Amino acid sequence: MSNDLSIRDLSVAYGPVMALHGVSFDVPEGRIAALVGSNGAGKSTVLKAICGMVAPASGTISVGGTAIPARPGAALRQGVALSPEGRRLFGRLSVEENLRMGAYAVPRAELDPGVMERVYGYFPRLRERRRQMAGSLSGGEQQMCAIGRALMAQPRVLLLDEPSLGIAPIIVAELGRIIAEISRDLGMTVLLVEQNAQMALSLAATGVVLETGRVVLTGTGEELLQSPEVRAAYLGY
């Protein structure tokens, strides 16, 4: 079963305002794709459409060639998990309780007994703090917990929404390394949505630049890092 993510001619409207205009791109199986752009470009709307939080005006979203219905929960049932912007942890629950919440939709018979240990392997700090309330963690540790919670769903496709937001640069670098390891080790298809274009494109096999709801540039991560347009607009040089 293929785990590629395909988005074709996706348009989304909020009332009379079009947020996405015919967006199309692919995330190849087992690879990282970076979706970059400024605030208001439509990056989060793409994720909301994938997850069924907004209904497309037109277009299709599919995983492994199977279309995802435009309703909440459908993407998760097809193996797509989201680590949301702002982490959205249950602050009064422990780290381990938050992680277990990520597996709530996995049938007991299908739950890999080693998935928790795998998450702790990628994020040793979570193991050290597994009894600690999630709300008392640092920002970087909370982001690790949010990604770990998404991995507990045993997804085929992992969506990461602004994982670097509000995180110290040294932790951003650590998170980038771990995201690359997860994709490589697990054959995980990853869509990384970021304002931090340098971080995202340096990890990505494929890069997509959105502006005002339209795809304006695509290429390999390295090609976009070298693009004069990307450098001027997003990298500051």
Side-chain angles (χ1 to χ4, degrees):
M1 182 184 296
S2 174
N3 294 337
D4 59 299
L5 174 67
S6 180
I7 294 174
R8 285 287 171 274
D9 300 317
L10 181 65
S11 295
V12 174
Y14 296 116
V17 179
M18 292 298 295
L20 297 178
H21 303 264
V23 168
S24 296
F25 64 89
D26 295 309
V27 186
E29 178 176 14
R31 308 301 289 273
I32 299 173
L35 183 61
V36 301
S38 58
N39 267 335
K43 305 186 303 298
S44 290
T45 299
V46 171
L47 293 186
K48 288 177 181 178
I50 295 170
C51 294
M53 289 183 268
V54 297
S58 61
T60 60
I61 301 164
S62 60
V63 174
T66 301
I68 301 174
R71 58 176 181 268
L76 184 58
R77 286 189 288 274
Q78 286 188 217
V80 180
L82 170 68
S83 177
E85 181 180 355
R87 280 89 75 172
R88 299 186 191 174
L89 299 177
F90 300 95
R92 295 186 180 182
L93 297 183
S94 70
V95 166
E96 191 151 305
E97 287 169 331
N98 270 272
L99 293 177
R100 291 191 185 282
M101 290 293 288
Y104 79 94
V106 180
R108 185 180 295 271
E110 297 175 16
L111 185 62
D112 179 354
V115 67
M116 182 78 76
E117 281 302 308
R118 192 176 303 123
V119 169
Y120 284 149
Y122 287 117
F123 302 108
R125 285 188 229 184
L126 298 184
R127 187 197 302 276
E128 296 168 6
R129 292 157 173 73
R130 63 187 183 277
R131 306 297 181 205
Q132 191 171 323
M133 296 299 99
S136 67
L137 299 176
S138 70
E141 290 164 349
Q142 287 189 15
Q143 187 61 66
M144 293 174 187
C145 191
I147 296 172
R149 181 178 60 186
L151 290 175
M152 289 293 295
Q154 300 172 198
R156 300 158 60 193
V157 177
L158 179 63
L159 309 178
L160 301 175
D161 193 0
E162 303 283 5
S164 74
L165 191 64
I167 307 298
I170 190 169
I171 304 300
V172 170
E174 182 180 356
L175 284 173
R177 176 184 59 78
I178 294 168
I179 291 166
E181 286 181 2
I182 288 168
S183 180
R184 183 181 64 245
D185 296 350
L186 304 180
M188 185 80 68
T189 303
V190 178
L191 177 57
L192 174 59
V193 169
E194 268 289 346
Q195 286 191 66
N196 186 336
Q198 179 72 50
M199 175 262 204
L201 294 173
S202 67
L203 295 176
T206 300
V208 180
V209 180
L210 274 188
E211 287 183 8
T212 59
R214 292 179 170 86
V215 174
V216 294
L217 286 172
T218 59
T220 67
E222 182 60 31
E223 285 170 346
L224 293 185
L225 282 172
Q226 300 304 320
S227 160
E229 295 96 327
V230 171
R231 286 185 173 191
Y234 304 107
L235 304 180
Y237 61 89

